[in-house]
Amino acid sequence: MAANGKNLVAMEGGKTELDGSAKGPRARAPPGSIVNDQVIGAGEPAPMGLCGYVLMFFSYILVVLTFPISLCFFIKVVQEYERAVIFRLGQLVPGGAKGPGIFFSLPCTDTYRKVDLRTVSFDVPPQEILSKDSVTVAVDAVVYYRVQNATISVTNVENAQRSTRLLAATTLRNVLGTKTLGEILTERENISHQMQTALDDATDAWGVKVERVEVKDVRLPVQLQRAMAAEAEATREARAKVIAAEGEKNASRALKEASEVISESPAALQLRYLQTLNAISAEKNSTIIFPLPVDLLRGILTPAYGPSGAVHMNVGQNPGSQAGTPPGV
């Protein structure tokens, strides 16, 4: 491409710009090239005119007459992370952005703008958003971007940084407006990816590359926080009651099985008595407990009470007297 004298399309940070192989002050990219489609006015003919040539001639004469003092004025330096976009008599100088290093700027005719190519981060102000399920939340985010094409960022937009900030706030509102509250709280990565894709597509014509978007904080109203806390507490209490009921159910089954095993052997019940006494004596030594079988009480109460629990009355006994009282008392 360099051999046929045409303009080269150079890569700068992943996007295209005009290369410095074009000769002449009015050299432009060929019609239909990538740069012509991105830079405003890149494919239009821009004749300099007689006045322009005269001004350039006097600029060169001034540089020669004031040499070497003029070196301090028309030699400029840009850092490794910067690029300089030069305009000569209001027209974009062929070759795209200059730098890093030294470049020449003619006095009285050339103006230039330095563009920083480093990654810039900024906070999106908290946005009051109405979610899809009609819940008002305040959401803020952080955006990381960098200028990918210095020429396009200067010629196609007045202020690329300010435009990116405003677009980020608008995109945040648009994306979160289509989500419910549950999706906003649980799908932050998906929301960040959608915002990054939308911003990158929109800022591509400005020479800006959006590298990362992160949703930083989601603030809920105080009343909603209290309602969600009460709901979570009620859910935990219900779960605790279910677990306690399951434990009681399992314990009752175990007791039933234990009673069936003990009923098969009367000696097992006596061993259980002794184990209980041993446990009580280890904790409370001042308490003395004597187990009394229920069968003994049943044998004592049987003469006074019948099998059904009714009181036996002797013949000639006063119905109002107590059981076991001698007649005539």
Side-chain angles (χ1 to χ4, degrees):
M1 295 178 62
N4 55 16
K6 295 183 179 180
N7 295 333
L8 292 177
V9 178
M11 299 299 295
E12 179 185 340
K15 292 189 178 180
T16 56
E17 290 189 338
L18 290 175
D19 188 77
S21 60
K23 304 298 181 181
R26 289 185 294 175
R28 295 283 177 173
S33 65
I34 300 178
V35 177
N36 284 334
D37 297 335
Q38 293 183 348
V39 180
I40 297 176
E44 300 175 0
M48 186 176 297
L50 179 61
C51 183
Y53 286 111
V54 171
L55 289 176
M56 287 187 61
F57 175 76
F58 281 109
S59 297
Y60 283 112
I61 293 297
L62 180 62
V63 170
V64 173
L65 293 178
T66 58
F67 188 84
I69 300 177
S70 59
L71 294 176
C72 301
F73 297 95
F74 75 90
I75 293 181
K76 307 296 181 181
V77 179
V78 292
Q79 304 296 328
E80 181 68 28
Y81 52 85
E82 293 178 336
R83 296 295 183 271
V85 181
I86 305 175
F87 296 91
R88 180 165 296 163
L89 297 176
Q91 300 178 6
L92 182 65
V93 174
K98 305 297 182 181
I102 299 175
F103 69 95
F104 298 94
S105 176
L106 292 177
C108 304
T109 59
D110 290 359
T111 59
Y112 68 94
R113 288 182 57 183
K114 289 184 179 181
V115 180
D116 197 331
L117 302 182
R118 292 176 294 182
T119 300
V120 180
S121 63
F122 67 91
D123 293 329
V124 180
Q127 304 293 317
E128 292 288 340
I129 299 170
L130 184 64
S131 63
K132 189 176 181 180
D133 51 355
S134 301
V135 178
T136 303
V137 294
V139 184
D140 56 353
V142 58
V143 179
Y144 300 87
Y145 74 95
R146 61 182 174 87
V147 175
Q148 194 172 24
N149 191 304
T151 303
I152 296 177
S153 66
V154 173
T155 57
N156 285 17
V157 61
E158 179 184 2
N159 192 331
Q161 294 186 356
R162 182 174 180 273
S163 300
T164 304
R165 293 172 184 268
L166 294 177
L167 183 61
T170 304
T171 305
L172 178 64
R173 298 175 64 91
N174 294 338
V175 172
L176 295 183
T178 61
K179 304 292 184 180
T180 61
L181 178 61
E183 293 175 348
I184 293 174
L185 296 176
T186 58
E187 299 181 2
R188 293 193 177 188
E189 294 184 0
N190 187 20
I191 294 173
S192 300
H193 180 70
Q194 291 182 7
M195 287 188 58
Q196 179 184 355
T197 302
L199 285 174
D200 195 19
D201 293 341
T203 58
D204 184 68
W206 302 341
V208 175
K209 172 66 177 178
V210 178
E211 296 181 341
R212 190 178 183 87
V213 178
E214 291 292 340
V215 177
K216 188 166 59 174
D217 189 17
V218 179
R219 289 188 290 272
L220 304 177
V222 179
Q223 296 82 357
L224 182 59
Q225 294 180 10
R226 293 176 180 174
M228 295 178 65
E231 180 183 1
E233 184 178 358
T235 303
R236 288 193 297 268
E237 290 180 356
R239 190 180 299 112
K241 290 180 180 180
V242 171
I243 294 174
E246 290 290 337
E248 292 291 339
K249 181 179 179 181
N250 297 332
S252 62
R253 289 180 179 178
L255 289 175
K256 179 182 177 182
E257 295 177 358
S259 63
E260 292 177 354
V261 172
I262 292 176
S263 63
E264 295 177 357
S265 176
L269 183 60
Q270 299 297 330
L271 293 176
R272 185 59 183 167
Y273 285 156
L274 296 176
Q275 291 178 356
T276 304
L277 288 175
N278 187 20
I280 294 175
S281 63
E283 298 179 358
K284 299 180 180 180
N285 298 328
S286 61
T287 304
I288 301 175
I289 298 177
F290 293 96
L292 185 63
V294 181
D295 295 340
L296 296 178
L297 296 177
R298 187 178 300 171
I300 295 174
L301 297 176
T302 299
Y305 296 90
S308 61
V311 179
H312 290 279
M313 298 178 60
N314 297 327
V315 179
Q317 183 180 357
N318 187 8
S321 61
Q322 296 180 354
T325 304
V329 178

